[in-house]
Amino acid sequence: MSEFEEFDQQGSVPTKETGAIISHAFEMYKGVILYAVVAMLIYVIADSVLQSIIGFNSWSMVEEMKDSDGDISNFKYYHSPGLSLYYSFSSVWGALLSPLYIGLIFILNKYNTKSAVEFSDLFIGYRQNFLNIFIYSLITHVVLRIALAMCGIPFFFVFPLFLLGYPILLFENATAMDALKKSYEIAKDNYGTFLGVSFLGLILSFCGFLACCIGILVTGTYITAVMYSTYCAFLGKPRQIL
C-alpha cells in the first residue's frame, strides 16, 4: 500500500457547477494531451489485438454505418461475426487496461499542482492498488454494458454513478466496494450536476470519431479529466502519492 501526504502545493479546484468542471477538465487535459494520446493508442492497439484473435472487426461496422448515409435500419450490429465472443472477453480485457486511466488521472493531478511528470506515471495503476482497480473496472464494465444493451439510453443515466470511482481508487487507495459505494453516494446527492458533467464529458470524448475516427486518439480519454475535475470539485484537492 502506498503512503500519502497532504498537498502543500497549489492546484486549481473548480466549483461544483457543470460548466466550471468541464472547463477545468479541458484546461487540465490540454496540459497532458501527449500522455492522453499515448494511453489511448495503447488501448486501441490492445483492443485491435483482441479483435484479431477473436475474428471481430469493429472498424468495418463503423465504416458500414458511415456508408449508410444515416439509414441504419438494415444495420445488423448484433449479427456481426465474432461480436458475442468479443463481448465475452472485452470486459476482462478492458479491466486489465483500466490502470492506464488511473495513470492518466495521476498525471492530471501532477500537472494541476505543477509537479514533474514522468512517463512511468502512466502505469502507476499497475503498481498500486491494482487488484481493486481491476475488480472495480470489471464490475462497472459489466453494469454499463448491460445499460448500453438496453437501447443505449440507460447508459447515460447510470454512468454518472461511477464517475468518481477511479479517482477514489487512486487518491484514497480504497477497495473496489468502498469506491463503488462512495462514488454512488456522492453522485446520488448531486445527480443533476453529475448527469450534466458525464453527458458532456462522454460527448466530447467520442467526438473524435467525427475526424475519420483518428481523432479518437486525441479525445478518447477526455472523460478521465472530467473524473479528476469532478473529484476536485466535490472532494477537494487530492492527496500527493509518495
Side-chain angles (χ1 to χ4, degrees):
M1 295 290 184
S2 297
E3 297 178 357
F4 298 102
E5 64 178 10
E6 295 288 350
F7 268 140
D8 56 5
Q9 296 172 295
Q10 295 298 314
S12 60
V13 176
T15 59
K16 298 177 181 179
E17 299 174 350
T18 300
I21 293 172
I22 291 296
S23 178
H24 182 269
F26 183 71
E27 291 301 318
M28 295 297 102
Y29 195 69
K30 287 193 303 181
V32 303
I33 192 65
L34 292 180
Y35 293 99
V37 170
V38 170
M40 194 63 196
L41 186 60
I42 293 173
Y43 186 91
V44 169
I45 292 174
D47 189 67
S48 297
V49 170
L50 177 63
Q51 290 189 33
S52 64
I53 293 174
I54 291 175
F56 173 67
N57 190 344
S58 61
W59 296 108
S60 65
M61 292 194 302
V62 172
E63 290 300 320
E64 184 180 342
M65 291 182 69
K66 289 172 64 177
D67 294 340
S68 66
D69 294 325
D71 181 13
I72 60 174
S73 57
N74 295 320
F75 181 64
K76 299 180 179 180
Y77 175 78
Y78 291 104
H79 296 286
S80 301
L83 177 65
S84 58
L85 189 60
Y86 172 73
Y87 272 179
S88 298
F89 287 96
S90 62
S91 291
V92 175
W93 199 250
L96 288 172
L97 294 171
S98 62
L100 291 173
Y101 302 139
I102 294 287
L104 191 54
I105 292 172
F106 181 50
I107 290 174
L108 284 160
N109 188 46
K110 277 195 163 186
Y111 174 77
N112 188 24
T113 55
K114 297 179 175 58
S115 301
V117 177
E118 300 177 0
F119 182 74
S120 61
D121 291 336
L122 191 59
F123 305 99
I124 189 174
Y126 291 101
R127 304 191 300 269
Q128 175 187 294
N129 212 13
F130 171 75
L131 181 59
N132 283 300
I133 294 170
F134 176 81
I135 294 172
Y136 174 88
S137 182
L138 189 60
I139 293 173
T140 56
H141 267 85
V142 171
V143 173
L144 292 174
R145 185 65 56 79
I146 293 172
L148 193 61
M150 298 170 65
C151 302
I153 296 177
F155 174 89
F156 291 97
F157 292 97
V158 174
F159 185 84
L161 302 175
F162 300 116
L163 193 64
L164 293 181
Y166 283 146
I168 291 171
L169 286 165
L170 172 64
F171 298 121
E172 302 178 20
N173 218 21
T175 65
M177 293 301 105
D178 285 343
L180 284 167
K181 181 179 178 180
K182 187 168 184 177
S183 180
Y184 171 79
E185 291 296 334
I186 297 174
K188 180 190 66 174
D189 293 338
N190 304 276
Y191 188 72
T193 300
F194 273 66
L195 180 62
V197 165
S198 297
F199 181 76
L200 291 174
L202 289 169
I203 293 299
L204 291 171
S205 292
F206 286 104
C207 70
F209 275 118
L210 300 177
C212 301
C213 298
I214 301 300
I216 197 66
L217 294 177
V218 177
T219 66
T221 51
Y222 173 70
I223 192 63
T224 59
V226 174
M227 292 175 179
Y228 172 71
S229 295
T230 305
Y231 183 95
C232 289
F234 285 88
L235 293 171
K237 289 188 297 185
R239 294 177 168 186
Q240 176 69 18
I241 300 173
L242 295 178

Short mmCIF file of all heavy atoms in Angstrom, two decimals, residues 112-160:
data_model
loop_
_atom_site.label_atom_id
_atom_site.label_comp_id
_atom_site.label_asym_id
_atom_site.label_seq_id
_atom_site.Cartn_x
_atom_site.Cartn_y
_atom_site.Cartn_z
N ASN A 112 -1.73 19.62 -12.54
CA ASN A 112 -2.51 20.62 -11.83
C ASN A 112 -1.69 21.28 -10.72
O ASN A 112 -1.86 22.47 -10.42
CB ASN A 112 -3.77 19.99 -11.24
CG ASN A 112 -4.72 21.01 -10.66
OD1 ASN A 112 -4.72 22.18 -11.03
ND2 ASN A 112 -5.55 20.55 -9.73
N THR A 113 -0.81 20.51 -10.09
CA THR A 113 -0.02 21.03 -8.98
C THR A 113 1.42 21.35 -9.39
O THR A 113 2.28 21.53 -8.54
CB THR A 113 0.00 20.02 -7.82
OG1 THR A 113 0.47 18.77 -8.29
CG2 THR A 113 -1.40 19.86 -7.24
N LYS A 114 1.65 21.37 -10.70
CA LYS A 114 2.96 21.75 -11.25
C LYS A 114 4.09 20.86 -10.73
O LYS A 114 5.20 21.32 -10.46
CB LYS A 114 3.26 23.22 -10.94
CG LYS A 114 2.27 24.18 -11.59
CD LYS A 114 2.58 25.63 -11.26
CE LYS A 114 1.66 26.57 -12.03
NZ LYS A 114 0.24 26.33 -11.76
N SER A 115 3.79 19.56 -10.59
CA SER A 115 4.80 18.58 -10.22
C SER A 115 5.40 17.97 -11.48
O SER A 115 4.75 17.93 -12.53
CB SER A 115 4.18 17.48 -9.35
OG SER A 115 3.61 18.02 -8.18
N ALA A 116 6.62 17.50 -11.38
CA ALA A 116 7.30 16.89 -12.52
C ALA A 116 6.61 15.58 -12.90
O ALA A 116 6.32 14.75 -12.04
CB ALA A 116 8.76 16.63 -12.20
N VAL A 117 6.34 15.42 -14.19
CA VAL A 117 5.67 14.21 -14.69
C VAL A 117 6.69 13.29 -15.36
O VAL A 117 7.55 13.75 -16.11
CB VAL A 117 4.57 14.58 -15.71
CG1 VAL A 117 3.93 13.32 -16.28
CG2 VAL A 117 3.51 15.46 -15.05
N GLU A 118 6.59 12.02 -15.07
CA GLU A 118 7.44 11.01 -15.70
C GLU A 118 6.57 10.05 -16.50
O GLU A 118 5.41 9.82 -16.15
CB GLU A 118 8.22 10.24 -14.64
CG GLU A 118 9.13 11.11 -13.79
CD GLU A 118 9.84 10.31 -12.72
OE1 GLU A 118 9.61 9.08 -12.63
OE2 GLU A 118 10.60 10.92 -11.95
N PHE A 119 7.12 9.49 -17.55
CA PHE A 119 6.36 8.57 -18.39
C PHE A 119 5.85 7.37 -17.59
O PHE A 119 4.74 6.88 -17.83
CB PHE A 119 7.21 8.09 -19.57
CG PHE A 119 6.48 7.18 -20.51
CD1 PHE A 119 5.52 7.67 -21.39
CD2 PHE A 119 6.72 5.81 -20.51
CE1 PHE A 119 4.82 6.84 -22.25
CE2 PHE A 119 6.04 4.96 -21.37
CZ PHE A 119 5.09 5.48 -22.25
N SER A 120 6.63 6.93 -16.63
CA SER A 120 6.24 5.77 -15.81
C SER A 120 5.00 6.04 -14.97
O SER A 120 4.34 5.11 -14.50
CB SER A 120 7.40 5.34 -14.90
OG SER A 120 7.75 6.40 -14.02
N ASP A 121 4.66 7.34 -14.79
CA ASP A 121 3.46 7.69 -14.02
C ASP A 121 2.20 7.12 -14.67
O ASP A 121 1.20 6.88 -13.99
CB ASP A 121 3.32 9.21 -13.92
CG ASP A 121 4.41 9.83 -13.04
OD1 ASP A 121 4.95 9.11 -12.18
OD2 ASP A 121 4.70 11.03 -13.23
N LEU A 122 2.25 6.94 -15.99
CA LEU A 122 1.10 6.42 -16.71
C LEU A 122 0.74 5.01 -16.26
O LEU A 122 -0.39 4.56 -16.44
CB LEU A 122 1.39 6.44 -18.22
CG LEU A 122 0.21 6.19 -19.18
CD1 LEU A 122 -0.90 7.21 -18.97
CD2 LEU A 122 0.70 6.22 -20.63
N PHE A 123 1.68 4.31 -15.65
CA PHE A 123 1.46 2.91 -15.27
C PHE A 123 1.38 2.72 -13.76
O PHE A 123 1.53 1.60 -13.28
CB PHE A 123 2.60 2.06 -15.85
CG PHE A 123 2.75 2.21 -17.34
CD1 PHE A 123 3.72 3.06 -17.86
CD2 PHE A 123 1.91 1.54 -18.22
CE1 PHE A 123 3.86 3.21 -19.24
CE2 PHE A 123 2.04 1.68 -19.59
CZ PHE A 123 3.02 2.53 -20.10
N ILE A 124 1.12 3.80 -13.03
CA ILE A 124 1.05 3.67 -11.56
C ILE A 124 -0.06 2.74 -11.12
O ILE A 124 0.02 2.08 -10.08
CB ILE A 124 0.87 5.07 -10.91
CG1 ILE A 124 1.04 4.95 -9.39
CG2 ILE A 124 -0.49 5.67 -11.27
CD1 ILE A 124 1.03 6.27 -8.67
N GLY A 125 -1.12 2.62 -11.92
CA GLY A 125 -2.23 1.74 -11.57
C GLY A 125 -1.87 0.27 -11.56
O GLY A 125 -2.57 -0.55 -10.96
N TYR A 126 -0.76 -0.07 -12.22
CA TYR A 126 -0.29 -1.45 -12.21
C TYR A 126 0.62 -1.72 -11.00
O TYR A 126 0.89 -2.88 -10.69
CB TYR A 126 0.47 -1.78 -13.50
CG TYR A 126 -0.42 -1.82 -14.72
CD1 TYR A 126 -0.47 -0.74 -15.60
CD2 TYR A 126 -1.22 -2.92 -14.98
CE1 TYR A 126 -1.29 -0.77 -16.72
CE2 TYR A 126 -2.06 -2.96 -16.09
CZ TYR A 126 -2.08 -1.88 -16.96
OH TYR A 126 -2.91 -1.91 -18.07
N ARG A 127 1.06 -0.64 -10.35
CA ARG A 127 1.94 -0.78 -9.20
C ARG A 127 1.21 -0.59 -7.89
O ARG A 127 1.63 -1.09 -6.86
CB ARG A 127 3.09 0.25 -9.28
CG ARG A 127 3.91 0.18 -10.56
CD ARG A 127 5.17 1.03 -10.45
NE ARG A 127 4.90 2.43 -10.19
CZ ARG A 127 4.75 3.35 -11.15
NH1 ARG A 127 4.82 2.99 -12.43
NH2 ARG A 127 4.51 4.61 -10.83
N GLN A 128 0.13 0.17 -7.93
CA GLN A 128 -0.61 0.48 -6.70
C GLN A 128 -2.09 0.11 -6.83
O GLN A 128 -2.75 0.50 -7.78
CB GLN A 128 -0.52 1.98 -6.41
CG GLN A 128 -1.38 2.41 -5.22
CD GLN A 128 -1.41 3.90 -5.06
OE1 GLN A 128 -0.38 4.50 -4.77
NE2 GLN A 128 -2.58 4.51 -5.26
N ASN A 129 -2.56 -0.66 -5.87
CA ASN A 129 -3.99 -0.98 -5.75
C ASN A 129 -4.57 -1.66 -7.00
O ASN A 129 -5.76 -1.52 -7.31
CB ASN A 129 -4.79 0.31 -5.46
CG ASN A 129 -6.02 0.06 -4.61
OD1 ASN A 129 -6.18 -1.01 -4.03
ND2 ASN A 129 -6.90 1.05 -4.54
N PHE A 130 -3.74 -2.42 -7.70
CA PHE A 130 -4.16 -3.00 -8.98
C PHE A 130 -5.37 -3.91 -8.85
O PHE A 130 -6.30 -3.85 -9.67
CB PHE A 130 -3.00 -3.78 -9.63
CG PHE A 130 -3.44 -4.57 -10.84
CD1 PHE A 130 -3.70 -3.93 -12.04
CD2 PHE A 130 -3.62 -5.95 -10.77
CE1 PHE A 130 -4.11 -4.64 -13.16
CE2 PHE A 130 -4.04 -6.66 -11.87
CZ PHE A 130 -4.28 -6.01 -13.07
N LEU A 131 -5.38 -4.77 -7.84
CA LEU A 131 -6.47 -5.74 -7.71
C LEU A 131 -7.82 -5.04 -7.56
O LEU A 131 -8.80 -5.41 -8.21
CB LEU A 131 -6.22 -6.67 -6.53
CG LEU A 131 -7.29 -7.75 -6.30
CD1 LEU A 131 -7.41 -8.65 -7.54
CD2 LEU A 131 -6.94 -8.59 -5.07
N ASN A 132 -7.87 -4.01 -6.71
CA ASN A 132 -9.12 -3.27 -6.53
C ASN A 132 -9.51 -2.49 -7.78
O ASN A 132 -10.70 -2.38 -8.09
CB ASN A 132 -8.99 -2.33 -5.33
CG ASN A 132 -9.11 -3.06 -4.01
OD1 ASN A 132 -10.13 -3.70 -3.73
ND2 ASN A 132 -8.06 -3.00 -3.20
N ILE A 133 -8.53 -1.96 -8.48
CA ILE A 133 -8.80 -1.27 -9.74
C ILE A 133 -9.41 -2.24 -10.74
O ILE A 133 -10.39 -1.93 -11.43
CB ILE A 133 -7.52 -0.64 -10.31
CG1 ILE A 133 -7.01 0.48 -9.40
CG2 ILE A 133 -7.75 -0.11 -11.73
CD1 ILE A 133 -5.64 0.99 -9.75
N PHE A 134 -8.84 -3.43 -10.82
CA PHE A 134 -9.33 -4.46 -11.74
C PHE A 134 -10.76 -4.87 -11.40
O PHE A 134 -11.62 -4.94 -12.28
CB PHE A 134 -8.40 -5.67 -11.71
CG PHE A 134 -8.88 -6.82 -12.55
CD1 PHE A 134 -8.65 -6.83 -13.92
CD2 PHE A 134 -9.56 -7.88 -11.98
CE1 PHE A 134 -9.10 -7.88 -14.71
CE2 PHE A 134 -10.02 -8.94 -12.76
CZ PHE A 134 -9.78 -8.93 -14.14
N ILE A 135 -11.02 -5.14 -10.12
CA ILE A 135 -12.36 -5.58 -9.69
C ILE A 135 -13.39 -4.48 -9.96
O ILE A 135 -14.47 -4.74 -10.49
CB ILE A 135 -12.36 -5.96 -8.20
CG1 ILE A 135 -11.48 -7.20 -7.97
CG2 ILE A 135 -13.78 -6.21 -7.70
CD1 ILE A 135 -11.28 -7.53 -6.51
N TYR A 136 -13.04 -3.25 -9.58
CA TYR A 136 -13.95 -2.12 -9.80
C TYR A 136 -14.26 -1.96 -11.28
O TYR A 136 -15.42 -1.79 -11.68
CB TYR A 136 -13.33 -0.84 -9.25
CG TYR A 136 -14.14 0.41 -9.55
CD1 TYR A 136 -15.14 0.83 -8.70
CD2 TYR A 136 -13.90 1.16 -10.71
CE1 TYR A 136 -15.90 1.95 -8.97
CE2 TYR A 136 -14.65 2.28 -11.00
CZ TYR A 136 -15.64 2.67 -10.13
OH TYR A 136 -16.39 3.78 -10.43
N SER A 137 -13.22 -2.00 -12.10
CA SER A 137 -13.40 -1.82 -13.54
C SER A 137 -14.25 -2.94 -14.13
O SER A 137 -15.10 -2.69 -15.00
CB SER A 137 -12.04 -1.77 -14.23
OG SER A 137 -12.18 -1.55 -15.61
N LEU A 138 -14.02 -4.16 -13.69
CA LEU A 138 -14.79 -5.30 -14.20
C LEU A 138 -16.27 -5.15 -13.86
O LEU A 138 -17.13 -5.39 -14.72
CB LEU A 138 -14.22 -6.60 -13.62
CG LEU A 138 -14.76 -7.90 -14.21
CD1 LEU A 138 -14.46 -7.98 -15.71
CD2 LEU A 138 -14.14 -9.11 -13.50
N ILE A 139 -16.56 -4.75 -12.64
CA ILE A 139 -17.95 -4.56 -12.22
C ILE A 139 -18.62 -3.47 -13.06
O ILE A 139 -19.73 -3.63 -13.56
CB ILE A 139 -18.03 -4.21 -10.73
CG1 ILE A 139 -17.60 -5.41 -9.88
CG2 ILE A 139 -19.46 -3.79 -10.34
CD1 ILE A 139 -17.48 -5.11 -8.40
N THR A 140 -17.95 -2.33 -13.19
CA THR A 140 -18.54 -1.21 -13.94
C THR A 140 -18.68 -1.54 -15.42
O THR A 140 -19.66 -1.12 -16.05
CB THR A 140 -17.70 0.07 -13.77
OG1 THR A 140 -16.34 -0.18 -14.17
CG2 THR A 140 -17.72 0.53 -12.33
N HIS A 141 -17.72 -2.28 -15.98
CA HIS A 141 -17.83 -2.68 -17.38
C HIS A 141 -19.09 -3.51 -17.61
O HIS A 141 -19.81 -3.29 -18.58
CB HIS A 141 -16.60 -3.51 -17.80
CG HIS A 141 -15.51 -2.70 -18.41
ND1 HIS A 141 -14.55 -2.05 -17.66
CD2 HIS A 141 -15.21 -2.42 -19.70
CE1 HIS A 141 -13.71 -1.42 -18.46
NE2 HIS A 141 -14.09 -1.62 -19.70
N VAL A 142 -19.33 -4.46 -16.71
CA VAL A 142 -20.50 -5.35 -16.86
C VAL A 142 -21.79 -4.55 -16.72
O VAL A 142 -22.71 -4.69 -17.54
CB VAL A 142 -20.45 -6.48 -15.81
CG1 VAL A 142 -21.75 -7.27 -15.82
CG2 VAL A 142 -19.27 -7.41 -16.09
N VAL A 143 -21.87 -3.70 -15.70
CA VAL A 143 -23.08 -2.91 -15.46
C VAL A 143 -23.35 -1.96 -16.62
O VAL A 143 -24.49 -1.87 -17.13
CB VAL A 143 -22.97 -2.12 -14.14
CG1 VAL A 143 -24.16 -1.17 -13.99
CG2 VAL A 143 -22.89 -3.05 -12.95
N LEU A 144 -22.32 -1.27 -17.07
CA LEU A 144 -22.50 -0.31 -18.17
C LEU A 144 -22.78 -1.01 -19.49
O LEU A 144 -23.50 -0.49 -20.34
CB LEU A 144 -21.25 0.58 -18.29
CG LEU A 144 -21.02 1.54 -17.12
CD1 LEU A 144 -19.70 2.27 -17.27
CD2 LEU A 144 -22.17 2.55 -17.02
N ARG A 145 -22.22 -2.19 -19.68
CA ARG A 145 -22.50 -2.97 -20.89
C ARG A 145 -23.97 -3.37 -20.93
O ARG A 145 -24.61 -3.32 -22.00
CB ARG A 145 -21.59 -4.21 -20.92
CG ARG A 145 -21.70 -5.05 -22.18
CD ARG A 145 -21.22 -4.32 -23.41
NE ARG A 145 -19.89 -3.83 -23.30
CZ ARG A 145 -18.78 -4.56 -23.45
NH1 ARG A 145 -18.88 -5.86 -23.68
NH2 ARG A 145 -17.58 -4.03 -23.37
N ILE A 146 -24.52 -3.77 -19.79
CA ILE A 146 -25.94 -4.11 -19.72
C ILE A 146 -26.80 -2.88 -20.00
O ILE A 146 -27.78 -2.95 -20.76
CB ILE A 146 -26.29 -4.69 -18.33
CG1 ILE A 146 -25.59 -6.04 -18.12
CG2 ILE A 146 -27.80 -4.85 -18.18
CD1 ILE A 146 -25.73 -6.60 -16.72
N ALA A 147 -26.41 -1.74 -19.42
CA ALA A 147 -27.15 -0.50 -19.64
C ALA A 147 -27.09 -0.08 -21.11
O ALA A 147 -28.07 0.40 -21.68
CB ALA A 147 -26.58 0.61 -18.76
N LEU A 148 -25.94 -0.29 -21.73
CA LEU A 148 -25.77 0.06 -23.14
C LEU A 148 -26.62 -0.82 -24.04
O LEU A 148 -27.12 -0.38 -25.08
CB LEU A 148 -24.30 -0.05 -23.53
CG LEU A 148 -23.86 0.57 -24.86
CD1 LEU A 148 -24.12 2.08 -24.84
CD2 LEU A 148 -22.39 0.31 -25.11
N ALA A 149 -26.78 -2.09 -23.64
CA ALA A 149 -27.56 -3.03 -24.44
C ALA A 149 -29.06 -2.71 -24.39
O ALA A 149 -29.82 -3.14 -25.25
CB ALA A 149 -27.33 -4.45 -23.94
N MET A 150 -29.47 -1.93 -23.40
CA MET A 150 -30.89 -1.56 -23.25
C MET A 150 -31.18 -0.29 -24.03
O MET A 150 -31.50 0.76 -23.46
CB MET A 150 -31.22 -1.40 -21.77
CG MET A 150 -31.03 -2.67 -20.96
SD MET A 150 -31.14 -2.39 -19.17
CE MET A 150 -32.87 -1.90 -19.02
N CYS A 151 -31.02 -0.37 -25.33
CA CYS A 151 -31.27 0.76 -26.24
C CYS A 151 -30.29 1.91 -26.06
O CYS A 151 -30.47 2.98 -26.65
CB CYS A 151 -32.69 1.28 -26.10
SG CYS A 151 -33.94 0.02 -26.43
N GLY A 152 -29.29 1.75 -25.22
CA GLY A 152 -28.24 2.75 -25.07
C GLY A 152 -28.56 3.88 -24.11
O GLY A 152 -27.68 4.39 -23.42
N ILE A 153 -29.81 4.29 -24.04
CA ILE A 153 -30.19 5.45 -23.23
C ILE A 153 -29.90 5.27 -21.74
O ILE A 153 -29.37 6.19 -21.09
CB ILE A 153 -31.67 5.80 -23.45
CG1 ILE A 153 -31.89 6.22 -24.91
CG2 ILE A 153 -32.11 6.92 -22.50
CD1 ILE A 153 -33.33 6.52 -25.27
N PRO A 154 -30.20 4.11 -21.13
CA PRO A 154 -29.91 3.94 -19.70
C PRO A 154 -28.43 4.14 -19.35
O PRO A 154 -28.12 4.52 -18.23
CB PRO A 154 -30.35 2.50 -19.42
CG PRO A 154 -31.40 2.23 -20.45
CD PRO A 154 -30.93 2.94 -21.68
N PHE A 155 -27.56 3.91 -20.32
CA PHE A 155 -26.12 4.08 -20.09
C PHE A 155 -25.80 5.47 -19.56
O PHE A 155 -25.02 5.64 -18.61
CB PHE A 155 -25.36 3.81 -21.39
CG PHE A 155 -23.88 4.10 -21.31
CD1 PHE A 155 -23.00 3.11 -20.90
CD2 PHE A 155 -23.38 5.34 -21.65
CE1 PHE A 155 -21.63 3.37 -20.83
CE2 PHE A 155 -22.02 5.61 -21.59
CZ PHE A 155 -21.15 4.62 -21.18
N PHE A 156 -26.40 6.50 -20.17
CA PHE A 156 -26.11 7.88 -19.80
C PHE A 156 -26.63 8.23 -18.40
O PHE A 156 -26.13 9.16 -17.77
CB PHE A 156 -26.71 8.84 -20.83
CG PHE A 156 -26.03 8.77 -22.17
CD1 PHE A 156 -26.56 8.00 -23.20
CD2 PHE A 156 -24.85 9.46 -22.39
CE1 PHE A 156 -25.92 7.93 -24.43
CE2 PHE A 156 -24.22 9.40 -23.62
CZ PHE A 156 -24.75 8.64 -24.64
N PHE A 157 -27.62 7.47 -17.92
CA PHE A 157 -28.17 7.73 -16.59
C PHE A 157 -27.43 6.94 -15.50
O PHE A 157 -27.43 7.34 -14.34
CB PHE A 157 -29.66 7.39 -16.56
CG PHE A 157 -30.50 8.31 -17.40
CD1 PHE A 157 -30.87 7.95 -18.69
CD2 PHE A 157 -30.90 9.54 -16.91
CE1 PHE A 157 -31.63 8.82 -19.48
CE2 PHE A 157 -31.66 10.41 -17.67
CZ PHE A 157 -32.02 10.05 -18.97
N VAL A 158 -26.79 5.84 -15.91
CA VAL A 158 -26.07 5.01 -14.95
C VAL A 158 -24.62 5.47 -14.80
O VAL A 158 -24.06 5.46 -13.69
CB VAL A 158 -26.11 3.52 -15.40
CG1 VAL A 158 -25.22 2.66 -14.50
CG2 VAL A 158 -27.53 3.00 -15.38
N PHE A 159 -24.02 5.90 -15.88
CA PHE A 159 -22.60 6.27 -15.88
C PHE A 159 -22.23 7.28 -14.79
O PHE A 159 -21.18 7.15 -14.15
CB PHE A 159 -22.19 6.80 -17.25
CG PHE A 159 -20.72 7.09 -17.36
CD1 PHE A 159 -19.81 6.09 -17.67
CD2 PHE A 159 -20.23 8.38 -17.14
CE1 PHE A 159 -18.46 6.35 -17.75
CE2 PHE A 159 -18.88 8.65 -17.22
CZ PHE A 159 -17.99 7.64 -17.53
N PRO A 160 -23.04 8.33 -14.54
CA PRO A 160 -22.67 9.31 -13.52
C PRO A 160 -22.42 8.72 -12.14
O PRO A 160 -21.64 9.27 -11.35
CB PRO A 160 -23.88 10.26 -13.50
CG PRO A 160 -24.48 10.14 -14.86
CD PRO A 160 -24.29 8.71 -15.24
#
